[in-house]
Coordinates of all heavy atoms in Angstrom, one line a residue:
M12 N 10.9 3.0 11.2 CA 9.8 3.8 10.8 C 9.1 3.2 9.6 O 9.8 2.8 8.7 CB 10.2 5.2 10.5 CG 9.0 6.1 10.1 SD 9.5 7.8 9.8 CE 10.3 7.7 8.2
T13 N 7.9 3.0 9.6 CA 7.2 2.5 8.4 C 6.3 3.5 7.9 O 6.0 4.5 8.6 CB 6.3 1.2 8.7 OG1 5.4 1.6 9.7 CG2 7.2 0.1 9.2
S14 N 5.8 3.4 6.7 CA 5.0 4.4 6.1 C 4.1 3.7 5.0 O 4.3 2.6 4.7 CB 5.9 5.4 5.4 OG 6.4 4.9 4.2
S15 N 3.2 4.5 4.5 CA 2.5 4.1 3.3 C 3.4 4.7 2.2 O 4.6 4.4 2.3 CB 1.1 4.7 3.2 OG 1.1 6.1 3.3
V16 N 3.0 5.4 1.3 CA 3.9 5.9 0.2 C 4.8 7.0 0.7 O 4.4 8.2 0.6 CB 3.1 6.3 -1.0 CG1 4.1 6.7 -2.1 CG2 2.3 5.1 -1.5
H17 N 5.9 6.6 1.3 CA 6.9 7.5 1.7 C 6.5 8.7 2.6 O 6.9 9.8 2.4 CB 7.6 8.1 0.4 CG 8.0 7.0 -0.6 ND1 8.0 5.7 -0.3 CD2 8.4 7.1 -1.8 CE1 8.4 5.0 -1.4 NE2 8.6 5.8 -2.3
S18 N 5.6 8.4 3.5 CA 5.3 9.3 4.6 C 4.8 10.7 4.1 O 5.2 11.7 4.6 CB 6.5 9.5 5.5 OG 6.9 8.3 6.1
V19 N 4.1 10.7 3.0 CA 3.5 12.0 2.5 C 2.1 12.0 2.8 O 1.4 11.0 3.1 CB 3.8 12.2 1.0 CG1 5.3 12.3 0.7 CG2 3.2 11.0 0.2
A20 N 1.5 13.2 2.8 CA 0.1 13.4 3.1 C -0.7 12.6 2.1 O -0.6 12.6 0.9 CB -0.3 14.9 2.9
V21 N -1.6 11.7 2.6 CA -2.4 10.9 1.8 C -3.8 11.4 1.5 O -4.5 10.9 0.6 CB -2.5 9.4 2.4 CG1 -1.2 8.7 2.2 CG2 -3.0 9.5 3.8
D22 N -4.2 12.4 2.2 CA -5.6 12.8 2.1 C -5.9 13.2 0.6 O -7.0 12.9 0.1 CB -5.9 13.9 3.0 CG -5.0 15.1 2.9 OD1 -3.9 14.9 2.4 OD2 -5.4 16.2 3.3
E23 N -5.0 13.8 -0.1 CA -5.2 14.2 -1.4 C -4.9 13.2 -2.5 O -5.1 13.3 -3.6 CB -4.5 15.5 -1.8 CG -3.0 15.3 -1.7 CD -2.2 16.6 -1.9 OE1 -2.8 17.7 -1.4 OE2 -1.1 16.6 -2.5
R24 N -4.3 12.1 -2.0 CA -3.9 11.0 -2.9 C -4.3 9.7 -2.4 O -3.5 8.9 -2.0 CB -2.3 11.1 -3.1 CG -1.9 12.4 -3.7 CD -0.4 12.4 -4.0 NE 0.1 13.5 -3.2 CZ 1.3 13.4 -2.6 NH1 2.0 12.4 -2.6 NH2 1.7 14.5 -1.9
Q25 N -5.6 9.4 -2.6 CA -6.1 8.1 -2.1 C -5.4 6.9 -2.8 O -5.4 5.9 -2.2 CB -7.6 8.1 -2.3 CG -8.4 9.1 -1.5 CD -8.2 8.9 0.0 OE1 -8.3 7.8 0.5 NE2 -7.9 10.0 0.8
W26 N -5.0 7.1 -4.0 CA -4.3 6.0 -4.7 C -3.2 5.4 -3.9 O -2.8 4.3 -4.0 CB -3.9 6.4 -6.1 CG -2.9 7.6 -6.1 CD1 -3.2 8.9 -6.2 CD2 -1.5 7.5 -6.0 NE1 -2.1 9.7 -6.2 CE2 -1.0 8.9 -6.0 CE3 -0.6 6.5 -5.8 CZ2 0.4 9.1 -5.9 CZ3 0.8 6.8 -5.7 CH2 1.2 8.1 -5.8
Q27 N -2.6 6.3 -3.1 CA -1.4 5.8 -2.3 C -1.7 4.7 -1.3 O -0.9 3.9 -1.0 CB -0.7 7.0 -1.6 CG -0.1 8.0 -2.6 CD 0.8 9.0 -2.0 OE1 0.6 9.3 -0.8 NE2 1.7 9.5 -2.7
Q28 N -3.0 4.7 -0.9 CA -3.4 3.6 0.0 C -3.2 2.2 -0.6 O -3.3 1.2 0.1 CB -4.8 3.9 0.5 CG -4.9 5.1 1.3 CD -6.3 5.5 1.7 OE1 -7.2 4.6 1.5 NE2 -6.5 6.6 2.2
H29 N -3.1 2.2 -1.9 CA -3.1 0.9 -2.6 C -1.6 0.6 -3.0 O -1.4 -0.4 -3.7 CB -4.0 0.9 -3.9 CG -5.4 1.3 -3.6 ND1 -6.2 0.4 -2.9 CD2 -6.1 2.4 -3.7 CE1 -7.4 1.0 -2.7 NE2 -7.4 2.2 -3.2
G30 N -0.7 1.4 -2.6 CA 0.7 1.1 -3.0 C 1.3 -0.1 -2.4 O 1.0 -0.4 -1.2
A31 N 2.0 -0.8 -3.2 CA 2.6 -2.1 -2.7 C 3.7 -1.8 -1.6 O 4.1 -2.7 -0.9 CB 3.3 -2.8 -3.8
C32 N 4.1 -0.5 -1.4 CA 5.1 -0.2 -0.4 C 4.4 0.1 0.9 O 5.1 0.4 1.9 CB 5.9 1.0 -0.9 SG 4.9 2.4 -1.3
G33 N 3.1 0.0 1.0 CA 2.5 0.3 2.3 C 3.0 -0.6 3.4 O 3.1 -1.8 3.2
G34 N 3.4 0.0 4.5 CA 3.9 -0.7 5.6 C 5.4 -1.1 5.5 O 5.9 -1.6 6.5
L35 N 6.0 -0.8 4.4 CA 7.4 -1.1 4.3 C 8.3 0.1 4.8 O 7.8 1.2 4.9 CB 7.8 -1.3 2.8 CG 7.1 -2.5 2.1 CD1 7.6 -2.6 0.7 CD2 7.4 -3.8 2.9
E36 N 9.5 -0.2 5.2 CA 10.4 0.8 5.7 C 10.7 1.8 4.6 O 11.1 1.5 3.5 CB 11.7 0.2 6.2 CG 11.5 -0.8 7.3 CD 11.4 -0.1 8.6 OE1 11.9 1.1 8.8 OE2 10.8 -0.7 9.6
D37 N 10.6 3.1 4.9 CA 11.1 4.2 4.0 C 12.5 3.9 3.5 O 12.9 4.3 2.4 CB 11.0 5.5 4.6 CG 9.6 6.1 4.6 OD1 8.7 5.4 4.0 OD2 9.3 7.1 5.3
A38 N 13.3 3.4 4.4 CA 14.7 3.2 4.1 C 14.9 2.3 2.9 O 16.0 2.3 2.3 CB 15.5 2.6 5.3
R39 N 13.9 1.5 2.5 CA 14.1 0.7 1.3 C 14.0 1.5 0.1 O 14.4 1.1 -1.0 CB 13.0 -0.4 1.3 CG 13.2 -1.4 2.4 CD 12.1 -2.5 2.4 NE 12.1 -3.3 1.2 CZ 11.4 -4.4 1.1 NH1 10.7 -4.8 2.2 NH2 11.4 -5.1 0.0
F40 N 13.4 2.7 0.2 CA 13.2 3.5 -1.0 C 14.1 4.8 -1.1 O 14.2 5.4 -2.1 CB 11.7 4.0 -1.1 CG 10.8 2.8 -1.4 CD1 10.4 2.0 -0.3 CD2 10.4 2.5 -2.6 CE1 9.6 0.9 -0.6 CE2 9.6 1.4 -2.9 CZ 9.2 0.6 -1.9
F41 N 14.7 5.1 0.1 CA 15.5 6.3 0.2 C 16.9 6.0 0.7 O 17.0 5.3 1.7 CB 14.9 7.4 1.1 CG 13.6 7.9 0.6 CD1 12.4 7.3 0.9 CD2 13.5 9.0 -0.2 CE1 11.2 7.8 0.5 CE2 12.3 9.5 -0.7 CZ 11.2 8.9 -0.4
H42 N 17.9 6.5 0.0 CA 19.2 6.2 0.4 C 19.6 6.9 1.7 O 19.3 8.1 1.9 CB 20.2 6.5 -0.7 CG 20.3 7.9 -1.1 ND1 21.1 8.8 -0.3 CD2 19.8 8.7 -2.1 CE1 21.0 10.0 -0.9 NE2 20.2 10.0 -1.9
P43 N 20.3 6.2 2.5 CA 20.9 6.9 3.7 C 22.1 7.7 3.3 O 22.6 7.6 2.2 CB 21.3 5.7 4.6 CG 21.6 4.6 3.7 CD 20.7 4.8 2.5
D44 N 22.5 8.6 4.2 CA 23.7 9.4 3.9 C 24.9 8.5 3.6 O 25.1 7.5 4.2 CB 24.1 10.3 5.1 CG 23.1 11.4 5.3 OD1 22.3 11.7 4.3 OD2 23.1 12.0 6.4
N45 N 25.7 8.9 2.6 CA 26.9 8.2 2.3 C 26.7 6.8 1.6 O 27.7 6.1 1.5 CB 27.8 8.0 3.5 CG 28.2 9.4 4.1 OD1 28.4 10.3 3.4 ND2 28.1 9.5 5.4
E46 N 25.5 6.5 1.3 CA 25.4 5.2 0.5 C 25.8 5.4 -0.9 O 25.3 6.4 -1.5 CB 23.9 4.7 0.6 CG 23.7 3.4 -0.1 CD 22.2 3.1 -0.3 OE1 21.5 3.9 -1.0 OE2 21.8 2.1 0.3
R47 N 26.6 4.6 -1.4 CA 27.2 4.7 -2.7 C 27.2 3.4 -3.4 O 27.1 2.3 -2.8 CB 28.6 5.3 -2.7 CG 28.7 6.7 -2.1 CD 28.3 7.8 -3.0 NE 28.5 9.1 -2.4 CZ 27.7 9.7 -1.6 NH1 26.6 9.2 -1.3 NH2 28.0 11.0 -1.2
G48 N 27.5 3.4 -4.7 CA 27.9 2.3 -5.5 C 27.0 1.1 -5.4 O 25.8 1.2 -5.5
P49 N 27.6 -0.1 -5.2 CA 26.8 -1.3 -5.2 C 25.7 -1.4 -4.2 O 24.6 -2.0 -4.4 CB 27.8 -2.4 -5.0 CG 29.2 -1.8 -5.2 CD 29.0 -0.4 -5.0
D50 N 26.0 -0.8 -3.0 CA 24.9 -0.8 -1.9 C 23.7 0.0 -2.4 O 22.6 -0.4 -2.2 CB 25.5 -0.2 -0.6 CG 26.5 -1.1 0.0 OD1 26.6 -2.3 -0.3 OD2 27.3 -0.6 0.8
R51 N 23.9 1.1 -3.0 CA 22.8 2.0 -3.4 C 22.1 1.2 -4.6 O 20.8 1.2 -4.6 CB 23.3 3.3 -3.9 CG 22.1 4.2 -4.4 CD 22.4 5.6 -4.8 NE 22.8 6.4 -3.7 CZ 22.8 7.7 -3.7 NH1 22.4 8.3 -4.8 NH2 23.1 8.4 -2.6
L52 N 22.8 0.7 -5.5 CA 22.2 0.0 -6.6 C 21.4 -1.2 -6.1 O 20.2 -1.4 -6.6 CB 23.3 -0.6 -7.5 CG 22.9 -1.0 -8.9 CD1 22.2 0.1 -9.7 CD2 24.1 -1.5 -9.7
A53 N 21.9 -2.0 -5.2 CA 21.1 -3.1 -4.6 C 19.8 -2.7 -3.9 O 18.8 -3.3 -4.1 CB 22.0 -3.9 -3.7
R54 N 19.9 -1.6 -3.1 CA 18.7 -1.1 -2.4 C 17.7 -0.6 -3.5 O 16.5 -0.9 -3.4 CB 19.1 0.0 -1.4 CG 17.9 0.5 -0.6 CD 18.2 1.7 0.1 NE 18.9 2.7 -0.7 CZ 18.3 3.4 -1.7 NH1 17.0 3.3 -1.9 NH2 19.0 4.2 -2.4
E55 N 18.2 0.1 -4.5 CA 17.2 0.6 -5.5 C 16.6 -0.5 -6.3 O 15.4 -0.4 -6.6 CB 17.9 1.6 -6.4 CG 18.1 3.0 -5.8 CD 18.5 4.0 -6.8 OE1 18.6 3.7 -8.0 OE2 18.7 5.2 -6.4
E56 N 17.4 -1.5 -6.6 CA 16.8 -2.6 -7.3 C 15.7 -3.3 -6.5 O 14.7 -3.7 -7.0 CB 17.9 -3.6 -7.7 CG 19.0 -3.1 -8.6 CD 18.5 -3.0 -10.0 OE1 17.7 -3.8 -10.5 OE2 18.8 -2.0 -10.7
G57 N 16.0 -3.4 -5.2 CA 14.9 -4.0 -4.3 C 13.7 -3.2 -4.3 O 12.6 -3.7 -4.3
A58 N 13.8 -1.9 -4.2 CA 12.7 -1.0 -4.2 C 11.9 -1.1 -5.5 O 10.7 -1.2 -5.5 CB 13.1 0.4 -3.9
K59 N 12.6 -1.2 -6.6 CA 12.0 -1.2 -7.9 C 11.2 -2.6 -8.1 O 10.2 -2.6 -8.8 CB 13.0 -1.1 -9.0 CG 13.5 0.4 -9.1 CD 14.6 0.5 -10.1 CE 15.2 1.9 -10.1 NZ 16.3 2.1 -11.1
R60 N 11.7 -3.6 -7.5 CA 11.0 -4.9 -7.5 C 9.6 -4.8 -6.8 O 8.7 -5.3 -7.3 CB 11.8 -6.0 -6.9 CG 12.9 -6.6 -7.9 CD 13.4 -7.9 -7.4 NE 14.2 -7.8 -6.2 CZ 15.4 -7.4 -6.1 NH1 16.1 -7.1 -7.2 NH2 16.0 -7.3 -4.9
V61 N 9.6 -4.0 -5.7 CA 8.3 -3.8 -5.0 C 7.4 -3.0 -6.0 O 6.2 -3.3 -6.2 CB 8.5 -3.0 -3.7 CG1 7.2 -2.6 -3.1 CG2 9.4 -3.8 -2.8
C62 N 8.0 -2.0 -6.6 CA 7.2 -1.1 -7.5 C 6.6 -2.0 -8.7 O 5.5 -1.7 -9.2 CB 8.0 0.0 -8.1 SG 8.5 1.2 -6.8
D63 N 7.4 -2.9 -9.2 CA 7.0 -3.7 -10.3 C 5.7 -4.4 -10.1 O 5.0 -4.7 -11.0 CB 8.1 -4.7 -10.7 CG 9.3 -4.1 -11.5 OD1 9.1 -2.9 -11.9 OD2 10.3 -4.7 -11.6
A64 N 5.5 -4.7 -8.8 CA 4.2 -5.5 -8.5 C 3.1 -4.6 -8.0 O 2.1 -5.0 -7.5 CB 4.6 -6.5 -7.5
C65 N 3.3 -3.3 -8.2 CA 2.4 -2.3 -7.5 C 1.2 -1.9 -8.5 O 1.5 -1.6 -9.6 CB 3.2 -1.0 -7.2 SG 2.1 0.2 -6.4
P66 N 0.0 -2.0 -8.0 CA -1.1 -1.7 -8.8 C -1.3 -0.2 -9.2 O -2.1 0.2 -10.1 CB -2.3 -2.2 -8.0 CG -1.9 -2.1 -6.6 CD -0.4 -2.4 -6.6
V67 N -0.6 0.7 -8.5 CA -0.7 2.1 -8.8 C 0.6 2.7 -9.3 O 0.9 3.9 -9.1 CB -1.2 2.9 -7.5 CG1 -2.6 2.5 -7.2 CG2 -0.3 2.7 -6.3
L68 N 1.4 1.9 -9.9 CA 2.8 2.3 -10.4 C 2.6 3.5 -11.3 O 3.4 4.5 -11.1 CB 3.5 1.2 -11.1 CG 4.9 1.5 -11.6 CD1 5.7 0.2 -11.6 CD2 4.9 2.1 -13.0
D69 N 1.7 3.5 -12.2 CA 1.6 4.6 -13.2 C 1.3 5.9 -12.5 O 1.8 7.0 -12.8 CB 0.6 4.3 -14.3 CG 1.1 3.2 -15.2 OD1 2.3 3.0 -15.3 OD2 0.3 2.6 -15.9
R70 N 0.3 5.9 -11.6 CA -0.1 7.1 -10.8 C 1.1 7.6 -10.0 O 1.3 8.8 -9.9 CB -1.3 6.8 -9.9 CG -2.6 6.5 -10.6 CD -3.4 7.7 -11.0 NE -3.6 8.7 -10.0 CZ -4.6 8.9 -9.2 NH1 -5.6 8.0 -9.2 NH2 -4.8 10.0 -8.5
C71 N 1.7 6.7 -9.4 CA 2.8 7.1 -8.5 C 3.9 7.7 -9.3 O 4.5 8.8 -9.0 CB 3.4 5.8 -7.8 SG 4.8 6.2 -6.7
R72 N 4.3 7.1 -10.4 CA 5.3 7.7 -11.3 C 5.0 9.1 -11.8 O 5.8 10.0 -11.7 CB 5.5 6.7 -12.5 CG 6.6 7.2 -13.5 CD 6.8 6.2 -14.5 NE 7.4 5.0 -14.0 CZ 7.8 3.9 -14.7 NH1 7.5 3.9 -16.0 NH2 8.3 2.9 -14.1
E73 N 3.8 9.3 -12.3 CA 3.4 10.6 -12.8 C 3.3 11.6 -11.6 O 3.6 12.8 -11.8 CB 2.0 10.5 -13.5 CG 2.2 10.0 -14.9 CD 3.3 10.8 -15.7 OE1 3.4 12.0 -15.7 OE2 4.1 10.1 -16.4
H74 N 2.9 11.2 -10.5 CA 2.9 12.1 -9.3 C 4.3 12.6 -9.1 O 4.6 13.8 -8.9 CB 2.3 11.4 -8.1 CG 2.8 12.1 -6.8 ND1 2.3 13.3 -6.4 CD2 3.8 11.7 -5.9 CE1 2.9 13.6 -5.3 NE2 3.8 12.7 -5.0
A75 N 5.2 11.6 -9.0 CA 6.6 12.0 -8.7 C 7.2 12.9 -9.7 O 7.9 13.9 -9.4 CB 7.5 10.7 -8.5
L76 N 6.9 12.6 -11.0 CA 7.4 13.5 -12.1 C 6.7 14.9 -12.0 O 7.4 15.9 -12.2 CB 7.1 12.8 -13.4 CG 8.0 11.6 -13.7 CD1 7.4 10.9 -14.9 CD2 9.5 11.9 -13.9
S77 N 5.4 14.9 -11.7 CA 4.7 16.2 -11.8 C 5.1 17.1 -10.7 O 5.2 18.3 -10.8 CB 3.2 16.0 -11.7 OG 2.8 15.5 -10.5
V78 N 5.5 16.6 -9.5 CA 5.9 17.4 -8.4 C 7.4 17.6 -8.3 O 7.9 18.3 -7.5 CB 5.3 17.0 -7.1 CG1 3.8 17.0 -7.1 CG2 5.9 15.6 -6.6
G79 N 8.1 16.8 -9.2 CA 9.6 16.9 -9.1 C 10.2 16.3 -7.9 O 11.1 16.9 -7.3
E80 N 9.6 15.1 -7.4 CA 10.2 14.5 -6.3 C 11.7 14.3 -6.4 O 12.1 13.6 -7.4 CB 9.6 13.1 -6.0 CG 8.1 13.2 -5.6 CD 8.0 13.5 -4.1 OE1 9.0 13.7 -3.4 OE2 6.9 13.7 -3.6
P81 N 12.5 14.9 -5.6 CA 14.0 14.8 -5.8 C 14.6 13.5 -5.3 O 15.7 13.2 -5.8 CB 14.5 16.0 -5.1 CG 13.5 16.3 -4.0 CD 12.2 15.8 -4.5
Y82 N 14.0 12.9 -4.3 CA 14.7 11.8 -3.7 C 13.9 10.5 -3.7 O 12.6 10.5 -3.7 CB 15.0 12.1 -2.2 CG 15.8 13.4 -2.1 CD1 15.2 14.5 -1.5 CD2 17.1 13.5 -2.5 CE1 16.0 15.7 -1.3 CE2 17.8 14.6 -2.4 CZ 17.3 15.7 -1.8 OH 18.0 16.9 -1.7
G83 N 14.6 9.4 -3.7 CA 14.0 8.1 -3.5 C 13.5 7.5 -4.8 O 13.6 8.0 -5.9
V84 N 13.0 6.3 -4.6 CA 12.4 5.5 -5.7 C 10.9 5.7 -5.7 O 10.2 5.5 -4.6 CB 12.7 4.0 -5.6 CG1 12.0 3.2 -6.7 CG2 14.2 3.8 -5.8
W85 N 10.3 6.2 -6.8 CA 8.9 6.4 -6.9 C 8.5 5.8 -8.3 O 9.1 6.1 -9.3 CB 8.5 7.9 -6.9 CG 8.8 8.6 -5.6 CD1 10.0 9.0 -5.2 CD2 7.8 9.0 -4.7 NE1 9.8 9.7 -4.0 CE2 8.5 9.7 -3.7 CE3 6.4 8.8 -4.6 CZ2 7.8 10.2 -2.6 CZ3 5.8 9.4 -3.5 CH2 6.5 10.1 -2.5
G86 N 7.4 5.1 -8.3 CA 6.9 4.5 -9.5 C 7.9 3.7 -10.3 O 7.9 3.7 -11.5
G87 N 8.8 3.1 -9.6 CA 9.8 2.2 -10.3 C 10.9 3.0 -10.8 O 11.8 2.4 -11.5
L88 N 11.0 4.3 -10.6 CA 12.1 5.1 -11.1 C 13.0 5.7 -10.0 O 12.4 6.2 -9.0 CB 11.6 6.3 -11.9 CG 10.8 5.9 -13.2 CD1 10.2 7.2 -13.8 CD2 11.6 5.1 -14.2
G89 N 14.2 5.7 -10.2 CA 15.2 6.3 -9.3 C 15.3 7.8 -9.6 O 14.7 8.3 -10.5
E90 N 16.1 8.4 -8.8 CA 16.3 9.9 -8.9 C 16.8 10.3 -10.2 O 16.3 11.2 -10.9 CB 17.2 10.4 -7.8 CG 16.6 10.1 -6.4 CD 17.7 10.1 -5.3 OE1 18.8 10.6 -5.5 OE2 17.3 9.8 -4.1
G91 N 17.9 9.6 -10.7 CA 18.5 10.0 -12.0 C 17.5 9.7 -13.1 O 17.5 10.5 -14.1
E92 N 16.8 8.6 -13.0 CA 15.9 8.3 -14.1 C 14.8 9.4 -14.2 O 14.4 9.7 -15.3 CB 15.2 6.9 -13.9 CG 16.2 5.8 -14.0 CD 15.7 4.5 -13.4 OE1 15.2 4.5 -12.2 OE2 15.9 3.5 -14.0
R93 N 14.3 9.8 -13.1 CA 13.3 10.9 -13.1 C 13.8 12.2 -13.7 O 13.2 12.9 -14.5 CB 12.6 11.1 -11.8 CG 11.7 10.0 -11.3 CD 10.9 10.4 -10.1 NE 11.6 10.9 -9.0 CZ 12.2 10.2 -8.1 NH1 12.2 8.9 -8.1 NH2 12.9 10.8 -7.1
R94 N 15.1 12.5 -13.3 CA 15.7 13.7 -13.8 C 15.8 13.6 -15.3 O 15.6 14.6 -16.1 CB 17.0 13.9 -13.2 CG 17.0 14.6 -11.8 CD 18.3 15.1 -11.4 NE 19.3 14.1 -11.3 CZ 19.5 13.3 -10.2 NH1 18.8 13.5 -9.1 NH2 20.5 12.4 -10.2
A95 N 16.2 12.4 -15.8 CA 16.4 12.3 -17.3 C 15.0 12.4 -18.0 O 15.0 13.1 -19.0 CB 17.0 10.9 -17.5
I96 N 14.0 11.9 -17.5 CA 12.7 12.0 -18.1 C 12.2 13.4 -18.1 O 11.7 13.9 -19.1 CB 11.6 11.1 -17.4 CG1 11.9 9.6 -17.7 CG2 10.2 11.4 -17.8 CD1 11.1 8.6 -16.8
L97 N 12.4 14.1 -17.0 CA 12.0 15.5 -16.9 C 12.8 16.4 -17.9 O 12.3 17.3 -18.5 CB 12.1 16.0 -15.5 CG 11.1 15.5 -14.5 CD1 11.4 15.9 -13.1 CD2 9.7 15.9 -14.9
G98 N 14.1 16.0 -18.0 CA 14.9 16.7 -19.0 C 14.4 16.5 -20.4 O 14.3 17.5 -21.2
L99 N 14.1 15.3 -20.7 CA 13.5 15.0 -22.1 C 12.2 15.8 -22.3 O 12.0 16.3 -23.4 CB 13.3 13.5 -22.2 CG 14.6 12.7 -22.4 CD1 14.2 11.2 -22.4 CD2 15.2 13.0 -23.7
R100 N 11.4 15.8 -21.3 CA 10.1 16.5 -21.4 C 10.3 18.0 -21.6 O 9.6 18.6 -22.4 CB 9.2 16.2 -20.2 CG 8.6 14.9 -20.1 CD 7.7 14.7 -18.9 NE 7.1 13.4 -18.9 CZ 6.3 12.9 -18.0 NH1 5.9 13.7 -17.0 NH2 5.8 11.7 -18.0
R101 N 11.3 18.5 -20.9 CA 11.6 20.0 -21.0 C 12.0 20.3 -22.4 O 11.6 21.2 -23.0 CB 12.6 20.4 -20.0 CG 12.2 21.3 -18.9 CD 13.3 21.8 -18.0 NE 14.3 20.9 -17.7 CZ 14.3 20.1 -16.7 NH1 13.3 20.0 -15.9 NH2 15.4 19.3 -16.5
R102 N 13.0 19.5 -22.9 CA 13.5 19.7 -24.2 C 12.5 19.6 -25.3 O 12.6 20.2 -26.3 CB 14.7 18.8 -24.4 CG 16.0 19.3 -23.6 CD 17.2 18.6 -24.1 NE 17.3 17.2 -23.7 CZ 17.6 16.7 -22.5 NH1 17.9 17.6 -21.5 NH2 17.6 15.5 -22.2
S103 N 11.5 18.6 -25.1 CA 10.5 18.4 -26.1 C 9.3 19.3 -26.0 O 8.4 19.3 -26.7 CB 10.1 17.0 -26.1 OG 9.3 16.7 -24.9
G104 N 9.3 20.1 -24.9 CA 8.2 21.1 -24.7 C 7.0 20.4 -24.0 O 6.0 21.0 -23.9
T105 N 7.2 19.2 -23.6 CA 6.1 18.4 -22.9 C 6.0 19.0 -21.5 O 7.0 19.2 -20.8 CB 6.4 16.9 -22.8 OG1 6.7 16.5 -24.1 CG2 5.3 16.2 -22.2
P106 N 4.7 19.3 -21.0 CA 4.6 19.7 -19.7 C 5.1 18.7 -18.7 O 5.1 17.5 -19.0 CB 3.1 19.9 -19.5 CG 2.5 19.6 -20.8 CD 3.5 19.1 -21.7
R107 N 5.5 19.2 -17.5 CA 6.0 18.3 -16.5 C 5.0 17.2 -16.2 O 5.3 16.1 -16.0 CB 6.3 19.1 -15.2 CG 6.9 18.3 -14.1 CD 7.2 19.2 -12.9 NE 8.6 19.4 -12.9 CZ 9.3 20.0 -11.9 NH1 8.6 20.3 -10.8 NH2 10.5 20.2 -11.9
Q108 N 3.8 17.6 -16.1 CA 2.7 16.7 -15.8 C 2.1 16.2 -17.1 O 1.6 17.1 -17.9 CB 1.7 17.3 -14.9 CG 0.6 16.3 -14.5 CD -0.1 16.7 -13.2 OE1 0.0 17.8 -12.8 NE2 -0.9 15.8 -12.7
A109 N 2.1 14.9 -17.4 CA 1.5 14.4 -18.6 C 0.0 14.6 -18.5 O -0.6 14.5 -17.4 CB 1.8 12.9 -18.8
P110 N -0.7 14.9 -19.6 CA -2.2 15.1 -19.6 C -2.8 13.8 -19.1 O -2.4 12.7 -19.5 CB -2.5 15.4 -21.0 CG -1.3 15.4 -21.8 CD -0.1 15.0 -20.9
S111 N -3.9 13.9 -18.4 CA -4.6 12.7 -17.9 C -5.8 12.4 -18.8 O -6.2 13.2 -19.6 CB -5.0 12.8 -16.5 OG -5.7 14.0 -16.2
Ligands
SF4_221 S1 5.0 2.4 -7.4 FE1 6.5 1.9 -5.8 S2 6.7 3.8 -4.6 FE2 4.9 4.0 -5.8 S3 3.2 3.4 -4.5 FE3 3.8 1.6 -5.7 S4 5.4 0.5 -4.5 FE4 5.1 2.6 -3.6

């Protein structure tokens, strides 16, 4: 299965049409069941390399943070990294969605 940005509705998010992940397999960004350790790390590193070259990385990252995307690599961040950022924002009183 291929997708644009992780098979989500694009009508409200035209920026996703410019994502560097367009046409890539979702499996590069989302872990399969039971993937652990070095395999997960290697897959995530590969996904993040795609994000590093993406022209809409900042939009994607803020989208994922604002809606609390629980799974996958979005905007160059993995699941744990997003949880950490959201935790910091919560503790500092910063809204989930950064002001635009
Ligand atoms: S930042 Fe990554 S996940 Fe987001 S659109 Fe770009 S390539 Fe896709």
Side-chain angles (χ1 to χ4, degrees):
M12 179 176 77
T13 60
S14 71
S15 60
V16 180
H17 311 347
S18 300
V19 294
V21 285
D22 54 337
E23 65 186 32
R24 295 186 240 138
Q25 294 298 314
W26 57 268
Q27 294 191 333
Q28 295 176 9
H29 304 287
C32 55
L35 299 180
E36 297 281 334
D37 281 351
R39 293 178 65 169
F40 292 83
F41 293 92
H42 64 81
D44 289 344
N45 302 319
E46 182 189 63
R47 299 281 185 276
D50 289 342
R51 180 177 290 201
L52 194 60
R54 184 191 45 73
E55 283 195 359
E56 294 288 324
K59 289 175 182 179
R60 279 195 295 278
V61 175
C62 295
D63 281 347
C65 181
V67 293
L68 184 149
D69 291 340
R70 293 273 317 262
C71 180
R72 179 175 293 180
E73 279 310 314
H74 158 74
L76 291 168
S77 68
V78 301
E80 288 285 357
Y82 303 115
V84 172
W85 293 78
L88 298 176
E90 298 162 10
E92 294 164 313
R93 289 195 306 278
R94 280 195 299 272
I96 290 170
L97 290 174
L99 287 172
R100 286 184 179 179
R101 246 188 324 272
R102 286 192 289 279
S103 69
T105 306
R107 182 179 258 192
Q108 183 161 13
S111 53

